[in-house]
Amino acid sequence: MEFEHYQRGGITAKAIVVALVVLLMIIYVGGAVFFRKHYVPGTRINGVLCSFKSVDQAKEAIREEVKNYELKIIEREDRVESIIGKDVGIDVDFDSTMDTLYDLQSPLKWPVSHFKPVDRNVGVTVSLDDKMLDDTIDSLAAFDEDVLRDPVDATVTYSSADAAYVINPEDMGTKIDRDALKTKLNDSILGLDDKIVLEDEDIYINPKHLSRAEITAGGLMRATQSPRCRNL
């Protein structure tokens, strides 16, 4: 009786092992078939995780990522604003390489692909809605009346108290060339740039006469014809 029980136990254990092997084979073969038309685990496309996704699903995932793209706008006087992709109707079109990425992966090796992640790049064309960009620009705090300040030129005046000519420094102001800003924002968004520093992009309308420029050019001396001039 004990021998018969052992036999039954052996048969049961063997059956379990066989069942597990068959199950694993089914999973493996099913995965190999599945990943002929889906990206294997560990696949990133243009930085976006696309594991287990079809081409259409991967495209949608990338589009969603781009819609949440953020461009930081660094302004004068330590102000920072941002534009989100979906606020300007951003969209993405893909070139044909997106449909051929399957050819670069090995479906039969899908169980180990997770341990060998890849990040593939495909050509994309980014577009935006011009009207939405205009509306977004108009909503920026940089154009608020309480923020906007016209530039003021440096001037030279005579101080009776000091009995000398003095330079009154310019006020750079915060007035922005809207057309220049729109052009730069358009280019930055289409390029998916992280940030734009307006001071570096010739976006502001600056004073025509700067105090330092006056000194360098000898403007103050010409205005006064006197060596008693000084800069306050």
Side-chain angles (χ1 to χ4, degrees), residues 124-227:
V124 298
T125 301
V126 181
S127 61
L128 55 79
D129 186 294
D130 190 69
K131 176 63 166 58
M132 293 180 71
L133 177 60
D134 276 327
D135 292 341
T136 299
I137 292 174
D138 291 338
S139 69
L140 291 174
F143 291 99
D144 290 349
E145 290 186 3
D146 57 343
V147 172
L148 199 62
R149 195 171 72 254
D150 288 336
V152 178
D153 288 339
T155 58
V156 177
T157 58
Y158 182 78
S159 171
S160 298
D162 297 322
Y165 286 90
V166 297
I167 296 177
N168 303 302
E170 70 280 353
D171 179 356
M172 297 301 292
T174 58
K175 192 171 184 179
I176 291 174
D177 183 333
R178 190 187 184 285
D179 291 338
L181 176 62
K182 180 179 179 180
T183 298
K184 185 58 185 178
L185 287 178
N186 184 85
D187 293 344
S188 295
I189 293 171
L190 295 182
L192 300 178
D193 296 337
D194 294 329
K195 67 178 181 179
I196 171 177
V197 181
L198 300 191
E199 194 72 70
D200 298 338
E201 301 295 340
D202 198 24
I203 299 297
Y204 286 103
I205 299 176
N206 293 320
K208 293 181 179 179
H209 302 291
L210 305 179
S211 57
R212 292 300 173 189
E214 291 288 343
I215 294 173
T216 302
L220 180 58
M221 293 300 295
R222 288 195 298 271
T224 64
Q225 294 297 309
S226 170

Side-chain angles (χ1 to χ4, degrees), residues 30-41 51-52 102 105 107 110:
V33 173
F34 177 81
F35 289 115
R36 289 179 61 190
K37 293 298 181 181
H38 295 79
Y39 298 114
V40 296
S51 302
F52 302 96
Y102 293 140
Q105 63 184 22
W110 71 265

